[in-house]
Amino acid sequence: MRASALSASAPRGDAPTLLFLDVDGTLLPFGASHPYPVHASGFAPPALDAPPLLTRIDPSLGPRLLALGCELVWATTWMDDANVCVAPWLGLPQLPLVDWPDPAEESDGGGAGGSGGRQLHWKTRPLVTWAAGRSFVWVDDEIGDTDRDWVSAHHPGPALLQRVDHRYGITDADLSVMEAWLAADR
């Protein structure tokens, strides 16, 4: 399985590479048969109904993501909750959010997909639109080869689609792949 979709004829410009960041399965692991470590952060969620699994997110990921030198963008269905709960937990600033289209507006091939399936993931087209030709990394637990192929065919800039294992979330190995790709892209 290819780790990235990459086009060599990319407009790089001076804009930093975008890093589209999912939460569930990417920062917040789930579905493993072993107990998850409980992490502590200097942040206490402001709401009584804060996500109970927030302590599964390793707060040390925040500085490591910032160190990549990318423009971080939430690409998650958490929407504003990502900035209210997850960003402070990780020590990140408020990040822009991808505004997802209404599923009823998705007409051709935007099915549930992902997870290595044959359908195009519903996030793929909106992320390519958001990137507008800029170099990007998309880290998610539901990326498949169909998404990589579609990005290769429809995005003029370099793109790394890094699929993570939902049971572990982003690992040192995932970060190493992103660091190496970013170093080669610059």
PDB file of all heavy atoms in Angstrom, residues 26-49:
ATOM      1  N   THR A  26      -7.394   9.120  15.249  1.00  0.00           N
ATOM      2  CA  THR A  26      -6.131   9.728  14.833  1.00  0.00           C
ATOM      3  C   THR A  26      -5.405  10.296  16.044  1.00  0.00           C
ATOM      4  O   THR A  26      -4.274   9.911  16.338  1.00  0.00           O
ATOM      5  CB  THR A  26      -6.392  10.821  13.778  1.00  0.00           C
ATOM      6  OG1 THR A  26      -7.083  10.223  12.672  1.00  0.00           O
ATOM      7  CG2 THR A  26      -5.110  11.440  13.294  1.00  0.00           C
ATOM      8  N   LEU A  27      -6.029  11.201  16.747  1.00  0.00           N
ATOM      9  CA  LEU A  27      -5.491  11.696  18.022  1.00  0.00           C
ATOM     10  C   LEU A  27      -6.059  10.898  19.193  1.00  0.00           C
ATOM     11  O   LEU A  27      -5.381  10.663  20.184  1.00  0.00           O
ATOM     12  CB  LEU A  27      -5.831  13.176  18.205  1.00  0.00           C
ATOM     13  CG  LEU A  27      -5.167  14.134  17.239  1.00  0.00           C
ATOM     14  CD1 LEU A  27      -5.743  15.530  17.405  1.00  0.00           C
ATOM     15  CD2 LEU A  27      -3.662  14.149  17.441  1.00  0.00           C
ATOM     16  N   LEU A  28      -7.319  10.510  19.063  1.00  0.00           N
ATOM     17  CA  LEU A  28      -8.029   9.792  20.117  1.00  0.00           C
ATOM     18  C   LEU A  28      -8.176   8.332  19.696  1.00  0.00           C
ATOM     19  O   LEU A  28      -9.053   7.999  18.900  1.00  0.00           O
ATOM     20  CB  LEU A  28      -9.413  10.423  20.321  1.00  0.00           C
ATOM     21  CG  LEU A  28     -10.353   9.761  21.308  1.00  0.00           C
ATOM     22  CD1 LEU A  28      -9.792   9.852  22.714  1.00  0.00           C
ATOM     23  CD2 LEU A  28     -11.718  10.413  21.246  1.00  0.00           C
ATOM     24  N   PRO A  29      -7.283   7.449  20.186  1.00  0.00           N
ATOM     25  CA  PRO A  29      -7.364   6.047  19.776  1.00  0.00           C
ATOM     26  C   PRO A  29      -8.597   5.366  20.357  1.00  0.00           C
ATOM     27  O   PRO A  29      -9.110   5.755  21.407  1.00  0.00           O
ATOM     28  CB  PRO A  29      -6.080   5.443  20.349  1.00  0.00           C
ATOM     29  CG  PRO A  29      -5.675   6.335  21.454  1.00  0.00           C
ATOM     30  CD  PRO A  29      -6.201   7.704  21.123  1.00  0.00           C
ATOM     31  N   PHE A  30      -9.077   4.355  19.631  1.00  0.00           N
ATOM     32  CA  PHE A  30     -10.220   3.580  20.112  1.00  0.00           C
ATOM     33  C   PHE A  30     -10.195   2.193  19.486  1.00  0.00           C
ATOM     34  O   PHE A  30      -9.573   1.981  18.453  1.00  0.00           O
ATOM     35  CB  PHE A  30     -11.552   4.286  19.808  1.00  0.00           C
ATOM     36  CG  PHE A  30     -11.878   4.365  18.337  1.00  0.00           C
ATOM     37  CD1 PHE A  30     -12.576   3.349  17.695  1.00  0.00           C
ATOM     38  CD2 PHE A  30     -11.489   5.461  17.583  1.00  0.00           C
ATOM     39  CE1 PHE A  30     -12.857   3.425  16.346  1.00  0.00           C
ATOM     40  CE2 PHE A  30     -11.772   5.548  16.238  1.00  0.00           C
ATOM     41  CZ  PHE A  30     -12.461   4.518  15.611  1.00  0.00           C
ATOM     42  N   GLY A  31     -10.863   1.251  20.129  1.00  0.00           N
ATOM     43  CA  GLY A  31     -11.061  -0.073  19.554  1.00  0.00           C
ATOM     44  C   GLY A  31      -9.993  -1.101  19.858  1.00  0.00           C
ATOM     45  O   GLY A  31     -10.062  -2.217  19.352  1.00  0.00           O
ATOM     46  N   ALA A  32      -9.014  -0.794  20.684  1.00  0.00           N
ATOM     47  CA  ALA A  32      -7.986  -1.785  21.014  1.00  0.00           C
ATOM     48  C   ALA A  32      -8.503  -2.722  22.096  1.00  0.00           C
ATOM     49  O   ALA A  32      -9.408  -2.378  22.858  1.00  0.00           O
ATOM     50  CB  ALA A  32      -6.710  -1.088  21.481  1.00  0.00           C
ATOM     51  N   SER A  33      -7.908  -3.885  22.165  1.00  0.00           N
ATOM     52  CA  SER A  33      -8.327  -4.845  23.190  1.00  0.00           C
ATOM     53  C   SER A  33      -7.604  -4.605  24.519  1.00  0.00           C
ATOM     54  O   SER A  33      -7.958  -5.196  25.521  1.00  0.00           O
ATOM     55  CB  SER A  33      -8.057  -6.267  22.700  1.00  0.00           C
ATOM     56  OG  SER A  33      -6.692  -6.423  22.400  1.00  0.00           O
ATOM     57  N   HIS A  34      -6.608  -3.736  24.511  1.00  0.00           N
ATOM     58  CA  HIS A  34      -5.860  -3.449  25.743  1.00  0.00           C
ATOM     59  C   HIS A  34      -6.355  -2.131  26.350  1.00  0.00           C
ATOM     60  O   HIS A  34      -6.929  -1.294  25.649  1.00  0.00           O
ATOM     61  CB  HIS A  34      -4.366  -3.355  25.442  1.00  0.00           C
ATOM     62  CG  HIS A  34      -4.033  -2.299  24.431  1.00  0.00           C
ATOM     63  ND1 HIS A  34      -3.994  -0.956  24.724  1.00  0.00           N
ATOM     64  CD2 HIS A  34      -3.752  -2.394  23.103  1.00  0.00           C
ATOM     65  CE1 HIS A  34      -3.691  -0.266  23.631  1.00  0.00           C
ATOM     66  NE2 HIS A  34      -3.548  -1.108  22.635  1.00  0.00           N
ATOM     67  N   PRO A  35      -6.132  -1.927  27.647  1.00  0.00           N
ATOM     68  CA  PRO A  35      -6.512  -0.643  28.245  1.00  0.00           C
ATOM     69  C   PRO A  35      -5.622   0.479  27.701  1.00  0.00           C
ATOM     70  O   PRO A  35      -4.449   0.276  27.414  1.00  0.00           O
ATOM     71  CB  PRO A  35      -6.254  -0.833  29.741  1.00  0.00           C
ATOM     72  CG  PRO A  35      -5.980  -2.277  29.941  1.00  0.00           C
ATOM     73  CD  PRO A  35      -5.621  -2.867  28.610  1.00  0.00           C
ATOM     74  N   TYR A  36      -6.209   1.647  27.572  1.00  0.00           N
ATOM     75  CA  TYR A  36      -5.450   2.800  27.086  1.00  0.00           C
ATOM     76  C   TYR A  36      -4.792   3.518  28.253  1.00  0.00           C
ATOM     77  O   TYR A  36      -5.351   3.573  29.347  1.00  0.00           O
ATOM     78  CB  TYR A  36      -6.377   3.780  26.349  1.00  0.00           C
ATOM     79  CG  TYR A  36      -6.748   3.276  24.991  1.00  0.00           C
ATOM     80  CD1 TYR A  36      -7.971   2.691  24.761  1.00  0.00           C
ATOM     81  CD2 TYR A  36      -5.858   3.380  23.932  1.00  0.00           C
ATOM     82  CE1 TYR A  36      -8.307   2.208  23.508  1.00  0.00           C
ATOM     83  CE2 TYR A  36      -6.177   2.903  22.678  1.00  0.00           C
ATOM     84  CZ  TYR A  36      -7.401   2.317  22.467  1.00  0.00           C
ATOM     85  OH  TYR A  36      -7.715   1.842  21.229  1.00  0.00           O
ATOM     86  N   PRO A  37      -3.614   4.107  28.006  1.00  0.00           N
ATOM     87  CA  PRO A  37      -3.025   4.931  29.060  1.00  0.00           C
ATOM     88  C   PRO A  37      -3.896   6.162  29.286  1.00  0.00           C
ATOM     89  O   PRO A  37      -4.600   6.615  28.387  1.00  0.00           O
ATOM     90  CB  PRO A  37      -1.659   5.326  28.493  1.00  0.00           C
ATOM     91  CG  PRO A  37      -1.717   5.071  27.032  1.00  0.00           C
ATOM     92  CD  PRO A  37      -2.804   4.067  26.798  1.00  0.00           C
ATOM     93  N   VAL A  38      -3.854   6.658  30.484  1.00  0.00           N
ATOM     94  CA  VAL A  38      -4.568   7.876  30.826  1.00  0.00           C
ATOM     95  C   VAL A  38      -3.529   8.985  30.912  1.00  0.00           C
ATOM     96  O   VAL A  38      -2.576   8.894  31.684  1.00  0.00           O
ATOM     97  CB  VAL A  38      -5.326   7.726  32.166  1.00  0.00           C
ATOM     98  CG1 VAL A  38      -5.961   9.033  32.575  1.00  0.00           C
ATOM     99  CG2 VAL A  38      -6.368   6.623  32.060  1.00  0.00           C
ATOM    100  N   HIS A  39      -3.708  10.001  30.076  1.00  0.00           N
ATOM    101  CA  HIS A  39      -2.773  11.117  30.022  1.00  0.00           C
ATOM    102  C   HIS A  39      -3.328  12.291  30.807  1.00  0.00           C
ATOM    103  O   HIS A  39      -4.537  12.487  30.881  1.00  0.00           O
ATOM    104  CB  HIS A  39      -2.539  11.551  28.567  1.00  0.00           C
ATOM    105  CG  HIS A  39      -1.945  10.482  27.721  1.00  0.00           C
ATOM    106  ND1 HIS A  39      -0.606  10.161  27.752  1.00  0.00           N
ATOM    107  CD2 HIS A  39      -2.508   9.638  26.827  1.00  0.00           C
ATOM    108  CE1 HIS A  39      -0.373   9.184  26.907  1.00  0.00           C
ATOM    109  NE2 HIS A  39      -1.508   8.843  26.331  1.00  0.00           N
ATOM    110  N   ALA A  40      -2.428  13.059  31.363  1.00  0.00           N
ATOM    111  CA  ALA A  40      -2.812  14.277  32.066  1.00  0.00           C
ATOM    112  C   ALA A  40      -2.331  15.468  31.253  1.00  0.00           C
ATOM    113  O   ALA A  40      -1.346  15.386  30.539  1.00  0.00           O
ATOM    114  CB  ALA A  40      -2.186  14.312  33.455  1.00  0.00           C
ATOM    115  N   SER A  41      -3.085  16.541  31.343  1.00  0.00           N
ATOM    116  CA  SER A  41      -2.726  17.780  30.660  1.00  0.00           C
ATOM    117  C   SER A  41      -2.984  18.917  31.632  1.00  0.00           C
ATOM    118  O   SER A  41      -3.745  18.768  32.581  1.00  0.00           O
ATOM    119  CB  SER A  41      -3.589  17.935  29.396  1.00  0.00           C
ATOM    120  OG  SER A  41      -3.438  19.215  28.833  1.00  0.00           O
ATOM    121  N   GLY A  42      -2.365  20.047  31.397  1.00  0.00           N
ATOM    122  CA  GLY A  42      -2.609  21.207  32.240  1.00  0.00           C
ATOM    123  C   GLY A  42      -3.933  21.873  31.938  1.00  0.00           C
ATOM    124  O   GLY A  42      -4.256  22.898  32.513  1.00  0.00           O
ATOM    125  N   PHE A  43      -4.733  21.281  31.067  1.00  0.00           N
ATOM    126  CA  PHE A  43      -5.999  21.865  30.637  1.00  0.00           C
ATOM    127  C   PHE A  43      -7.162  21.086  31.230  1.00  0.00           C
ATOM    128  O   PHE A  43      -7.192  19.857  31.172  1.00  0.00           O
ATOM    129  CB  PHE A  43      -6.083  21.829  29.110  1.00  0.00           C
ATOM    130  CG  PHE A  43      -7.444  22.152  28.570  1.00  0.00           C
ATOM    131  CD1 PHE A  43      -7.920  23.450  28.595  1.00  0.00           C
ATOM    132  CD2 PHE A  43      -8.248  21.160  28.045  1.00  0.00           C
ATOM    133  CE1 PHE A  43      -9.173  23.747  28.099  1.00  0.00           C
ATOM    134  CE2 PHE A  43      -9.505  21.451  27.551  1.00  0.00           C
ATOM    135  CZ  PHE A  43      -9.961  22.751  27.571  1.00  0.00           C
ATOM    136  N   ALA A  44      -8.109  21.791  31.809  1.00  0.00           N
ATOM    137  CA  ALA A  44      -9.351  21.181  32.275  1.00  0.00           C
ATOM    138  C   ALA A  44     -10.459  21.632  31.328  1.00  0.00           C
ATOM    139  O   ALA A  44     -10.678  22.832  31.166  1.00  0.00           O
ATOM    140  CB  ALA A  44      -9.662  21.608  33.700  1.00  0.00           C
ATOM    141  N   PRO A  45     -11.142  20.698  30.667  1.00  0.00           N
ATOM    142  CA  PRO A  45     -12.206  21.090  29.745  1.00  0.00           C
ATOM    143  C   PRO A  45     -13.235  21.970  30.437  1.00  0.00           C
ATOM    144  O   PRO A  45     -13.597  21.730  31.592  1.00  0.00           O
ATOM    145  CB  PRO A  45     -12.821  19.761  29.319  1.00  0.00           C
ATOM    146  CG  PRO A  45     -11.743  18.750  29.555  1.00  0.00           C
ATOM    147  CD  PRO A  45     -10.971  19.264  30.736  1.00  0.00           C
ATOM    148  N   PRO A  46     -13.712  23.026  29.759  1.00  0.00           N
ATOM    149  CA  PRO A  46     -14.609  23.986  30.374  1.00  0.00           C
ATOM    150  C   PRO A  46     -16.036  23.489  30.557  1.00  0.00           C
ATOM    151  O   PRO A  46     -16.775  24.023  31.351  1.00  0.00           O
ATOM    152  CB  PRO A  46     -14.590  25.164  29.394  1.00  0.00           C
ATOM    153  CG  PRO A  46     -14.278  24.537  28.081  1.00  0.00           C
ATOM    154  CD  PRO A  46     -13.371  23.380  28.388  1.00  0.00           C
ATOM    155  N   ALA A  47     -16.410  22.472  29.843  1.00  0.00           N
ATOM    156  CA  ALA A  47     -17.811  22.036  29.887  1.00  0.00           C
ATOM    157  C   ALA A  47     -17.964  20.788  30.748  1.00  0.00           C
ATOM    158  O   ALA A  47     -17.084  19.926  30.778  1.00  0.00           O
ATOM    159  CB  ALA A  47     -18.298  21.746  28.472  1.00  0.00           C
ATOM    160  N   LEU A  48     -19.093  20.708  31.431  1.00  0.00           N
ATOM    161  CA  LEU A  48     -19.387  19.516  32.227  1.00  0.00           C
ATOM    162  C   LEU A  48     -19.557  18.303  31.329  1.00  0.00           C
ATOM    163  O   LEU A  48     -19.307  17.179  31.742  1.00  0.00           O
ATOM    164  CB  LEU A  48     -20.658  19.736  33.054  1.00  0.00           C
ATOM    165  CG  LEU A  48     -20.553  20.780  34.159  1.00  0.00           C
ATOM    166  CD1 LEU A  48     -21.902  20.979  34.833  1.00  0.00           C
ATOM    167  CD2 LEU A  48     -19.500  20.372  35.179  1.00  0.00           C
ATOM    168  N   ASP A  49     -19.997  18.540  30.100  1.00  0.00           N
ATOM    169  CA  ASP A  49     -20.214  17.437  29.175  1.00  0.00           C
ATOM    170  C   ASP A  49     -19.013  17.232  28.240  1.00  0.00           C
ATOM    171  O   ASP A  49     -19.147  16.799  27.110  1.00  0.00           O
ATOM    172  CB  ASP A  49     -21.487  17.649  28.366  1.00  0.00           C
ATOM    173  CG  ASP A  49     -21.455  18.916  27.521  1.00  0.00           C
ATOM    174  OD1 ASP A  49     -20.581  19.770  27.748  1.00  0.00           O
ATOM    175  OD2 ASP A  49     -22.316  19.042  26.637  1.00  0.00           O
TER     176      ASP A  49
END
